[in-house]
Amino acid sequence: MRSSVGVSLGTCGIRTARTTEDGTWTDGTPFDDWQLSPSAEDVARMVRGIVDRPDAPQSLGVAHRTPAEREQIAAALAEEYVSDVHLIDETDAALEYLRPGLPTHHRTIALFDAGETGVDIDIVDVESGRSYGSTRTTAISGASFDAVVREHILGLGIVREPHTHDEDAALTAFCRGIKEALSSHQTTSTPDGEHVLLERHIFELSIARSTEQAAATVRQLGLEAEFYPDAVVAIGGTSNVPLVRATLERFLQLPVIVPDRPELVVAGGAAVHATRVDAAHVPPLVSHRPALTRLAMIALPIVGVIAVIGLFTALGSSEGDQPLSTPASVGERVSQTTSPAAGNTTTSTSTSASTSAPTPDVPPPAPTTTAAPAPAADPAPYVQYQPHYYPPAPAPAPTVPLPQIPGVQMPVIPLPVLPRLPF
Protein backbone atom coordinates (compact mmCIF):
# COMPACT_ATOMS: atom_id res chain seq x y z
CA MET A 1 0.00 0.00 0.00
CA ARG A 2 1.28 3.43 -0.93
CA SER A 3 2.31 5.60 2.02
CA SER A 4 3.97 8.95 2.65
CA VAL A 5 5.91 10.50 5.53
CA GLY A 6 5.92 14.16 6.51
CA VAL A 7 8.57 15.87 8.63
CA SER A 8 8.35 19.11 10.60
CA LEU A 9 11.28 20.88 12.23
CA GLY A 10 10.65 22.51 15.60
CA THR A 11 12.82 24.49 17.95
CA CYS A 12 13.47 21.53 20.21
CA GLY A 13 12.62 18.50 18.15
CA ILE A 14 11.70 16.86 14.86
CA ARG A 15 8.25 15.37 14.38
CA THR A 16 7.11 12.89 11.74
CA ALA A 17 3.70 11.66 10.59
CA ARG A 18 2.93 8.76 8.26
CA THR A 19 -0.20 8.35 6.16
CA THR A 20 -1.46 5.75 3.70
CA GLU A 21 -3.48 6.12 0.52
CA ASP A 22 -6.76 5.28 2.29
CA GLY A 23 -6.27 8.25 4.65
CA THR A 24 -5.17 6.26 7.70
CA TRP A 25 -2.67 8.05 9.93
CA THR A 26 -0.04 6.34 12.00
CA ASP A 27 2.55 7.72 14.37
CA GLY A 28 5.88 8.17 12.72
CA THR A 29 9.21 7.28 14.25
CA PRO A 30 9.71 9.51 17.30
CA PHE A 31 12.60 11.89 16.74
CA ASP A 32 11.84 14.30 19.60
CA ASP A 33 14.96 15.36 21.46
CA TRP A 34 14.13 18.23 23.75
CA GLN A 35 17.76 18.87 24.62
CA LEU A 36 18.79 19.36 21.02
CA SER A 37 18.09 22.27 18.69
CA PRO A 38 17.84 20.26 15.45
CA SER A 39 19.60 21.61 12.40
CA ALA A 40 19.18 20.99 8.67
CA GLU A 41 21.86 18.31 8.87
CA ASP A 42 19.86 16.52 11.58
CA VAL A 43 16.81 16.55 9.31
CA ALA A 44 18.82 15.16 6.39
CA ARG A 45 20.27 12.35 8.49
CA MET A 46 16.82 11.49 9.80
CA VAL A 47 15.39 11.45 6.26
CA ARG A 48 18.27 9.23 5.14
CA GLY A 49 17.31 6.80 7.90
CA ILE A 50 13.67 6.76 6.77
CA VAL A 51 14.64 6.10 3.15
CA ASP A 52 16.95 3.23 4.08
CA ARG A 53 14.31 1.38 6.10
CA PRO A 54 12.62 -1.70 4.57
CA ASP A 55 9.21 0.00 4.84
CA ALA A 56 10.39 3.23 3.22
CA PRO A 57 7.48 5.41 2.01
CA GLN A 58 6.80 6.18 -1.64
CA SER A 59 6.50 9.94 -0.94
CA LEU A 60 8.33 12.15 1.52
CA GLY A 61 7.81 15.82 2.42
CA VAL A 62 9.64 18.20 4.74
CA ALA A 63 8.18 21.44 6.11
CA HIS A 64 10.45 24.47 6.61
CA ARG A 65 9.94 27.74 8.49
CA THR A 66 11.93 30.26 6.41
CA PRO A 67 13.40 30.43 2.88
CA ALA A 68 16.90 30.31 4.36
CA GLU A 69 16.04 27.14 6.23
CA ARG A 70 14.69 25.66 2.98
CA GLU A 71 18.03 26.22 1.24
CA GLN A 72 19.90 24.68 4.17
CA ILE A 73 17.70 21.59 4.19
CA ALA A 74 18.01 21.18 0.41
CA ALA A 75 21.80 21.39 0.63
CA ALA A 76 21.91 18.92 3.51
CA LEU A 77 19.71 16.44 1.63
CA ALA A 78 22.05 16.68 -1.36
CA GLU A 79 25.00 15.86 0.92
CA GLU A 80 23.14 12.73 2.06
CA TYR A 81 22.35 11.80 -1.57
CA VAL A 82 18.61 11.90 -0.92
CA SER A 83 16.38 13.02 -3.79
CA ASP A 84 12.64 13.30 -4.52
CA VAL A 85 11.95 15.02 -1.19
CA HIS A 86 9.29 17.73 -1.47
CA LEU A 87 9.91 20.88 0.58
CA ILE A 88 6.96 23.04 1.65
CA ASP A 89 6.43 26.07 3.86
CA GLU A 90 4.98 25.10 7.24
CA THR A 91 1.95 27.42 6.85
CA ASP A 92 1.12 25.85 3.49
CA ALA A 93 1.64 22.42 5.01
CA ALA A 94 -0.82 23.21 7.80
CA LEU A 95 -3.41 24.30 5.24
CA GLU A 96 -2.87 21.10 3.24
CA TYR A 97 -3.78 19.15 6.38
CA LEU A 98 -6.66 21.37 7.55
CA ARG A 99 -8.38 22.31 4.28
CA PRO A 100 -10.43 19.10 3.74
CA GLY A 101 -11.95 19.23 7.24
CA LEU A 102 -12.79 22.93 7.50
CA PRO A 103 -16.39 24.10 6.96
CA THR A 104 -16.94 25.82 3.62
CA HIS A 105 -18.04 29.09 5.24
CA HIS A 106 -14.64 29.48 6.93
CA ARG A 107 -12.87 31.30 4.11
CA THR A 108 -10.33 33.17 6.26
CA ILE A 109 -8.77 31.71 9.39
CA ALA A 110 -6.32 32.81 12.04
CA LEU A 111 -3.66 30.11 12.28
CA PHE A 112 -2.48 30.03 15.90
CA ASP A 113 0.69 27.89 16.03
CA ALA A 114 1.73 27.58 19.66
CA GLY A 115 5.14 25.98 19.88
CA GLU A 116 7.95 25.47 22.34
CA THR A 117 9.35 29.02 22.20
CA GLY A 118 6.36 31.16 21.18
CA VAL A 119 3.27 31.55 19.03
CA ASP A 120 3.24 32.24 15.28
CA ILE A 121 -0.01 33.91 14.19
CA ASP A 122 -1.02 34.15 10.55
CA ILE A 123 -4.27 35.39 8.95
CA VAL A 124 -4.63 33.36 5.75
CA ASP A 125 -7.13 32.64 3.00
CA VAL A 126 -8.09 28.97 3.17
CA GLU A 127 -8.48 28.38 -0.57
CA SER A 128 -5.49 30.25 -1.98
CA GLY A 129 -3.18 30.27 1.04
CA ARG A 130 -2.65 34.04 0.71
CA SER A 131 -1.47 35.69 3.92
CA TYR A 132 -3.19 38.88 5.06
CA GLY A 133 -0.86 39.45 7.99
CA SER A 134 1.40 37.59 10.39
CA THR A 135 3.17 38.19 13.69
CA ARG A 136 4.87 36.33 16.51
CA THR A 137 4.49 36.59 20.25
CA THR A 138 6.37 34.97 23.14
CA ALA A 139 3.65 35.71 25.68
CA ILE A 140 2.97 31.99 25.93
CA SER A 141 5.10 29.02 24.93
CA GLY A 142 5.64 25.45 25.84
CA ALA A 143 8.85 26.36 27.67
CA SER A 144 7.11 29.03 29.78
CA PHE A 145 4.36 26.57 30.77
CA ASP A 146 7.01 24.01 31.74
CA ALA A 147 8.73 26.66 33.84
CA VAL A 148 5.50 27.31 35.76
CA VAL A 149 5.17 23.62 36.61
CA ARG A 150 8.87 23.38 37.50
CA GLU A 151 8.65 26.29 39.92
CA HIS A 152 5.61 24.75 41.61
CA ILE A 153 7.24 21.32 41.96
CA LEU A 154 10.42 22.78 43.43
CA GLY A 155 8.30 24.84 45.84
CA LEU A 156 6.66 21.69 47.20
CA GLY A 157 10.06 20.41 48.33
CA ILE A 158 9.46 16.88 47.07
CA VAL A 159 12.42 17.10 44.70
CA ARG A 160 15.72 18.89 45.16
CA GLU A 161 17.25 21.47 42.88
CA PRO A 162 19.16 19.76 40.00
CA HIS A 163 22.94 20.17 39.99
CA THR A 164 23.95 18.36 36.79
CA HIS A 165 22.84 18.52 33.19
CA ASP A 166 21.28 15.07 33.38
CA GLU A 167 19.31 15.97 36.51
CA ASP A 168 18.07 19.17 34.91
CA ALA A 169 16.97 17.25 31.77
CA ALA A 170 15.15 14.67 33.88
CA LEU A 171 13.31 17.37 35.88
CA THR A 172 12.31 19.19 32.66
CA ALA A 173 10.87 15.99 31.21
CA PHE A 174 9.02 15.31 34.47
CA CYS A 175 7.43 18.79 34.50
CA ARG A 176 6.45 18.46 30.84
CA GLY A 177 4.67 15.20 31.63
CA ILE A 178 2.67 16.93 34.38
CA LYS A 179 1.67 19.74 32.00
CA GLU A 180 0.49 17.30 29.35
CA ALA A 181 -1.45 15.27 31.93
CA LEU A 182 -3.35 18.40 33.02
CA SER A 183 -4.72 18.73 29.48
CA SER A 184 -7.03 15.77 30.15
CA HIS A 185 -7.06 15.50 33.98
CA GLN A 186 -8.01 17.87 36.76
CA THR A 187 -5.15 16.89 39.06
CA THR A 188 -1.85 15.03 39.06
CA SER A 189 -0.15 13.12 41.86
CA THR A 190 2.81 10.88 42.54
CA PRO A 191 2.56 7.25 41.41
CA ASP A 192 1.84 6.09 44.95
CA GLY A 193 -0.89 8.75 45.35
CA GLU A 194 0.55 10.19 48.55
CA HIS A 195 1.34 13.67 47.16
CA VAL A 196 -0.74 15.88 44.89
CA LEU A 197 1.65 17.45 42.43
CA LEU A 198 -0.46 20.07 40.68
CA GLU A 199 -4.14 20.79 40.04
CA ARG A 200 -5.44 22.24 36.81
CA HIS A 201 -7.08 25.35 38.29
CA ILE A 202 -3.83 26.34 40.03
CA PHE A 203 -1.91 25.87 36.81
CA GLU A 204 -4.45 27.96 34.86
CA LEU A 205 -4.27 30.78 37.40
CA SER A 206 -0.52 30.94 36.82
CA ILE A 207 -0.79 31.18 33.02
CA ALA A 208 -4.05 33.17 32.66
CA ARG A 209 -2.51 36.62 32.13
CA SER A 210 0.02 35.49 29.51
CA THR A 211 -2.67 33.57 27.65
CA GLU A 212 -4.86 36.68 27.50
CA GLN A 213 -1.95 38.64 26.05
CA ALA A 214 -1.58 36.10 23.25
CA ALA A 215 -5.32 36.26 22.51
CA ALA A 216 -5.21 40.06 22.41
CA THR A 217 -2.38 39.84 19.85
CA VAL A 218 -4.56 37.70 17.60
CA ARG A 219 -7.46 40.15 17.88
CA GLN A 220 -5.24 43.11 17.02
CA LEU A 221 -3.78 41.35 14.00
CA GLY A 222 -7.26 40.46 12.75
CA LEU A 223 -8.38 44.09 12.99
CA GLU A 224 -5.34 45.26 11.03
CA ALA A 225 -5.63 42.59 8.33
CA GLU A 226 -7.56 43.00 5.12
CA PHE A 227 -10.14 40.45 6.23
CA TYR A 228 -11.14 39.59 9.77
CA PRO A 229 -10.90 35.83 10.36
CA ASP A 230 -13.99 33.61 10.39
CA ALA A 231 -12.41 31.15 12.85
CA VAL A 232 -9.23 30.41 14.78
CA VAL A 233 -7.35 27.13 14.26
CA ALA A 234 -4.95 26.35 17.11
CA ILE A 235 -2.12 23.94 16.29
CA GLY A 236 1.14 23.03 18.00
CA GLY A 237 1.70 21.13 21.20
CA THR A 238 0.83 24.05 23.50
CA SER A 239 -2.68 24.22 21.99
CA ASN A 240 -3.55 21.12 24.02
CA VAL A 241 -3.85 23.30 27.15
CA PRO A 242 -7.63 23.80 27.67
CA LEU A 243 -7.20 27.39 28.90
CA VAL A 244 -5.72 28.45 25.56
CA ARG A 245 -8.86 27.49 23.66
CA ALA A 246 -11.20 29.03 26.24
CA THR A 247 -9.30 32.34 26.26
CA LEU A 248 -9.26 32.63 22.48
CA GLU A 249 -13.02 32.05 22.29
CA ARG A 250 -13.69 34.65 24.99
CA PHE A 251 -11.45 37.37 23.53
CA LEU A 252 -12.22 36.91 19.83
CA GLN A 253 -15.84 35.73 19.92
CA LEU A 254 -14.99 33.27 17.18
CA PRO A 255 -15.13 29.49 16.89
CA VAL A 256 -11.81 27.92 17.89
CA ILE A 257 -10.82 24.64 16.24
CA VAL A 258 -8.16 22.41 17.83
CA PRO A 259 -7.42 19.37 15.63
CA ASP A 260 -6.66 15.98 17.04
CA ARG A 261 -2.92 15.71 17.70
CA PRO A 262 -2.30 19.41 16.92
CA GLU A 263 1.47 18.92 17.24
CA LEU A 264 1.45 16.71 14.11
CA VAL A 265 -0.55 19.03 11.82
CA VAL A 266 2.47 20.50 10.02
CA ALA A 267 4.17 17.12 9.58
CA GLY A 268 0.90 15.60 8.34
CA GLY A 269 0.43 18.42 5.86
CA ALA A 270 3.92 17.82 4.47
CA ALA A 271 2.98 14.16 3.92
CA VAL A 272 -0.27 15.13 2.16
CA HIS A 273 1.62 17.60 -0.05
CA ALA A 274 4.20 14.99 -1.06
CA THR A 275 1.48 12.49 -1.97
CA ARG A 276 -0.41 15.03 -4.08
CA VAL A 277 2.71 16.16 -5.99
CA ASP A 278 3.84 12.61 -6.76
CA ALA A 279 0.35 11.60 -7.90
CA ALA A 280 0.28 14.54 -10.34
CA HIS A 281 3.52 13.36 -11.99
CA VAL A 282 2.39 9.78 -12.75
CA PRO A 283 2.64 9.30 -16.57
CA PRO A 284 -0.66 8.42 -18.29
CA LEU A 285 -1.21 4.97 -19.73
CA VAL A 286 -0.52 4.63 -23.47
CA SER A 287 -3.57 2.45 -24.13
CA HIS A 288 -6.47 1.16 -22.07
CA ARG A 289 -7.37 -1.69 -24.43
CA PRO A 290 -6.80 -5.24 -23.21
CA ALA A 291 -3.62 -6.94 -24.26
CA LEU A 292 -5.50 -9.57 -26.28
CA THR A 293 -7.15 -6.89 -28.42
CA ARG A 294 -3.79 -5.30 -29.20
CA LEU A 295 -2.39 -8.75 -30.09
CA ALA A 296 -5.29 -9.39 -32.47
CA MET A 297 -4.71 -6.07 -34.21
CA ILE A 298 -1.15 -7.22 -34.97
CA ALA A 299 -1.93 -10.82 -35.89
CA LEU A 300 -4.87 -10.25 -38.27
CA PRO A 301 -2.86 -8.39 -40.97
CA ILE A 302 -0.24 -11.14 -40.95
CA VAL A 303 -2.92 -13.83 -41.41
CA GLY A 304 -4.46 -11.82 -44.24
CA VAL A 305 -1.14 -11.50 -46.08
CA ILE A 306 -0.49 -15.24 -45.77
CA ALA A 307 -3.99 -15.98 -47.15
CA VAL A 308 -3.43 -13.75 -50.19
CA ILE A 309 -0.04 -15.35 -50.90
CA GLY A 310 -1.62 -18.81 -50.74
CA LEU A 311 -4.42 -17.70 -53.08
CA PHE A 312 -2.01 -16.36 -55.71
CA THR A 313 0.15 -19.50 -55.51
CA ALA A 314 -2.87 -21.78 -55.96
CA LEU A 315 -4.06 -19.68 -58.89
CA GLY A 316 -0.68 -19.97 -60.65
CA SER A 317 -0.48 -23.73 -60.16
CA SER A 318 -4.02 -24.30 -61.46
CA GLU A 319 -3.22 -22.31 -64.62
CA GLY A 320 -0.29 -24.62 -65.37
CA ASP A 321 -2.32 -27.83 -64.85
CA GLN A 322 -5.28 -26.91 -67.14
CA PRO A 323 -5.33 -27.87 -70.89
CA LEU A 324 -3.54 -25.30 -72.97
CA SER A 325 -5.89 -23.00 -74.80
CA THR A 326 -5.91 -19.51 -76.17
CA PRO A 327 -6.81 -17.18 -73.30
CA ALA A 328 -10.17 -15.67 -74.09
CA SER A 329 -9.70 -12.64 -71.88
CA VAL A 330 -6.84 -11.29 -73.93
CA GLY A 331 -9.27 -9.61 -76.30
CA GLU A 332 -7.14 -10.09 -79.45
CA ARG A 333 -8.29 -11.16 -82.86
CA VAL A 334 -6.51 -14.40 -83.75
CA SER A 335 -6.11 -15.30 -87.47
CA GLN A 336 -6.53 -18.96 -88.37
CA THR A 337 -5.26 -20.26 -91.79
CA THR A 338 -6.10 -23.65 -93.31
CA SER A 339 -3.91 -25.40 -95.81
CA PRO A 340 -5.68 -26.31 -99.13
CA ALA A 341 -6.00 -29.87 -100.31
CA ALA A 342 -4.30 -31.02 -103.51
CA GLY A 343 -6.01 -29.72 -106.59
CA ASN A 344 -8.27 -27.37 -104.69
CA THR A 345 -8.24 -23.60 -104.58
CA THR A 346 -6.81 -21.89 -101.52
CA THR A 347 -9.33 -20.35 -99.25
CA SER A 348 -8.79 -18.58 -95.98
CA THR A 349 -11.08 -17.63 -93.24
CA SER A 350 -10.58 -15.67 -90.06
CA THR A 351 -12.29 -16.16 -86.78
CA SER A 352 -12.69 -13.65 -84.12
CA ALA A 353 -12.05 -14.70 -80.52
CA SER A 354 -14.81 -13.78 -78.20
CA THR A 355 -14.01 -11.20 -75.60
CA SER A 356 -15.80 -13.19 -72.90
CA ALA A 357 -14.23 -16.33 -71.52
CA PRO A 358 -16.13 -19.51 -72.58
CA THR A 359 -17.35 -21.95 -70.01
CA PRO A 360 -14.69 -24.62 -69.44
CA ASP A 361 -17.18 -27.49 -69.94
CA VAL A 362 -18.55 -26.21 -73.31
CA PRO A 363 -16.09 -26.45 -76.24
CA PRO A 364 -15.83 -23.44 -78.48
CA PRO A 365 -17.84 -23.63 -81.75
CA ALA A 366 -16.04 -24.96 -84.82
CA PRO A 367 -14.95 -22.33 -87.31
CA THR A 368 -17.11 -22.01 -90.43
CA THR A 369 -15.31 -22.70 -93.78
CA THR A 370 -16.33 -23.40 -97.37
CA ALA A 371 -13.23 -25.40 -98.11
CA ALA A 372 -13.48 -29.10 -98.72
CA PRO A 373 -12.50 -31.29 -95.82
CA ALA A 374 -8.94 -32.51 -95.87
CA PRO A 375 -8.20 -36.12 -96.58
CA ALA A 376 -7.90 -38.35 -93.56
CA ALA A 377 -4.33 -39.21 -94.49
CA ASP A 378 -3.12 -35.65 -94.10
CA PRO A 379 -2.22 -34.48 -90.59
CA ALA A 380 -4.35 -31.79 -88.99
CA PRO A 381 -3.29 -28.28 -89.95
CA TYR A 382 -1.17 -26.57 -87.27
CA VAL A 383 -0.58 -22.91 -86.77
CA GLN A 384 2.19 -21.85 -84.39
CA TYR A 385 2.20 -18.32 -82.91
CA GLN A 386 3.54 -16.48 -79.92
CA PRO A 387 0.84 -14.16 -78.52
CA HIS A 388 1.53 -11.31 -76.20
CA TYR A 389 0.50 -12.52 -72.74
CA TYR A 390 -1.47 -10.28 -70.43
CA PRO A 391 -2.08 -11.84 -67.02
CA PRO A 392 -5.71 -12.19 -66.07
CA ALA A 393 -7.20 -9.95 -63.46
CA PRO A 394 -6.51 -11.36 -59.98
CA ALA A 395 -9.37 -13.13 -58.33
CA PRO A 396 -11.04 -11.23 -55.52
CA ALA A 397 -9.61 -11.81 -52.08
CA PRO A 398 -11.58 -14.10 -49.76
CA THR A 399 -14.32 -12.37 -47.92
CA VAL A 400 -12.40 -12.17 -44.65
CA PRO A 401 -12.71 -8.73 -43.03
CA LEU A 402 -9.24 -7.33 -42.52
CA PRO A 403 -8.63 -4.51 -40.05
CA GLN A 404 -7.98 -1.15 -41.62
CA ILE A 405 -4.45 -0.55 -40.40
CA PRO A 406 -2.40 2.10 -42.18
CA GLY A 407 1.08 1.28 -43.31
CA VAL A 408 0.54 -2.43 -44.26
CA GLN A 409 2.05 -2.99 -47.76
CA MET A 410 0.70 -6.03 -49.60
CA PRO A 411 3.53 -8.04 -51.24
CA VAL A 412 3.86 -8.31 -55.03
CA ILE A 413 3.72 -12.01 -56.03
CA PRO A 414 5.42 -12.89 -59.37
CA LEU A 415 3.26 -15.26 -61.47
CA PRO A 416 4.80 -18.22 -63.38
CA VAL A 417 5.37 -17.85 -67.15
CA LEU A 418 2.94 -19.98 -69.14
CA PRO A 419 4.31 -22.21 -71.98
CA ARG A 420 3.32 -21.78 -75.56
CA LEU A 421 -0.28 -22.73 -76.15
CA PRO A 422 -1.10 -25.00 -79.15
CA PHE A 423 -4.59 -25.45 -80.48
Side-chain angles (χ1 to χ4, degrees):
M1 181 177 291
R2 184 179 182 87
S3 64
S4 60
V5 169
V7 180
S8 64
L9 178 61
T11 304
C12 297
I14 301 174
R15 295 188 182 273
T16 63
R18 189 182 187 106
T19 183
T20 56
E21 59 186 4
D22 60 354
T24 305
W25 288 90
T26 58
D27 292 336
T29 307
F31 290 98
D32 295 331
D33 188 350
W34 299 100
Q35 306 306 317
L36 171 68
S37 294
S39 62
E41 289 74 17
D42 297 325
V43 175
R45 285 192 294 269
M46 185 268 299
V47 171
R48 176 81 266 176
I50 294 176
V51 172
D52 292 340
R53 293 178 58 178
D55 59 343
Q58 286 75 23
S59 302
L60 206 153
V62 177
H64 58 85
R65 291 168 292 191
T66 63
E69 188 175 72
R70 175 190 176 93
E71 295 178 359
Q72 294 172 2
I73 294 175
L77 290 173
E79 290 291 333
E80 291 290 338
Y81 299 99
V82 179
S83 59
D84 297 330
V85 178
H86 305 288
L87 303 180
I88 181 174
D89 180 78
E90 63 179 7
T91 301
D92 295 335
L95 288 176
E96 288 273 6
Y97 182 92
L98 298 171
R99 192 177 286 120
L102 289 176
T104 56
H105 60 277
H106 290 168
R107 299 182 179 180
T108 305
I109 62 171
L111 198 60
F112 187 88
D113 188 358
E116 181 65 17
T117 59
V119 180
D120 293 318
I121 307 167
D122 202 350
I123 310 296
V124 295
D125 182 83
V126 174
E127 186 65 26
S128 64
R130 177 185 175 186
S131 176
Y132 299 122
S134 61
T135 188
R136 177 176 175 81
T137 178
T138 56
I140 64 173
S141 63
S144 64
F145 288 174
D146 294 340
V148 171
V149 178
R150 179 190 179 107
E151 183 179 356
H152 179 80
I153 295 298
L154 290 176
L156 293 177
I158 59 176
V159 294
R160 62 181 178 86
E161 189 75 25
H163 297 288
T164 64
H165 177 75
D166 293 339
E167 291 179 355
D168 185 76
L171 180 59
T172 300
F174 178 67
C175 295
R176 185 176 300 110
I178 294 175
K179 177 193 68 177
E180 294 174 354
L182 290 175
S183 298
S184 57
H185 298 80
Q186 294 294 328
T187 184
T188 57
S189 61
T190 56
D192 55 10
E194 294 184 0
H195 301 280
V196 175
L197 298 176
L198 184 60
E199 297 179 353
R200 179 188 288 182
H201 73 279
I202 296 178
F203 174 67
E204 291 180 346
L205 287 174
S206 303
I207 64 174
R209 182 173 293 276
S210 59
T211 305
E212 291 175 354
Q213 292 176 0
T217 303
V218 178
R219 182 177 59 184
Q220 185 63 30
L221 181 63
L223 294 173
E224 296 174 355
E226 183 177 354
F227 295 97
Y228 195 78
D230 301 318
V232 179
V233 180
I235 63 175
T238 309
S239 300
N240 285 315
V241 177
L243 182 64
V244 173
R245 176 174 181 173
T247 305
L248 290 173
E249 290 178 343
R250 178 165 54 89
F251 263 68
L252 302 174
Q253 297 298 307
L254 293 174
V256 177
I257 302 172
V258 180
D260 187 30
R261 303 293 300 275
E263 66 276 7
L264 294 179
V265 168
V266 175
V272 173
H273 171 73
T275 301
R276 180 175 59 81
V277 172
D278 287 342
H281 286 79
V282 175
L285 295 176
V286 175
S287 175
H288 296 280
R289 293 179 296 182
L292 291 178
T293 304
R294 295 196 297 271
L295 181 60
M297 295 293 292
I298 299 174
L300 283 178
I302 300 176
V303 174
V305 171
I306 295 175
V308 173
I309 295 175
L311 178 63
F312 286 158
T313 305
L315 181 61
S317 62
S318 63
E319 289 288 344
D321 296 338
Q322 290 179 357
L324 299 178
S325 62
T326 304
S329 61
V330 174
E332 292 183 344
R333 302 184 65 85
V334 183
S335 301
Q336 188 176 29
T337 307
T338 58
S339 301
N344 294 340
T345 61
T346 303
T347 62
S348 62
T349 61
S350 63
T351 60
S352 174
S354 174
T355 58
S356 60
T359 306
D361 297 335
V362 180
T368 303
T369 179
T370 57
D378 285 348
Y382 178 77
V383 177
Q384 182 176 357
Y385 71 98
Q386 185 69 29
H388 296 286
Y389 177 72
Y390 297 92
T399 58
V400 177
L402 297 179
Q404 299 297 326
I405 298 179
V408 176
Q409 183 68 32
M410 301 298 292
V412 179
I413 308 300
L415 298 179
V417 180
L418 298 177
R420 290 179 296 182
L421 307 177
F423 65 93

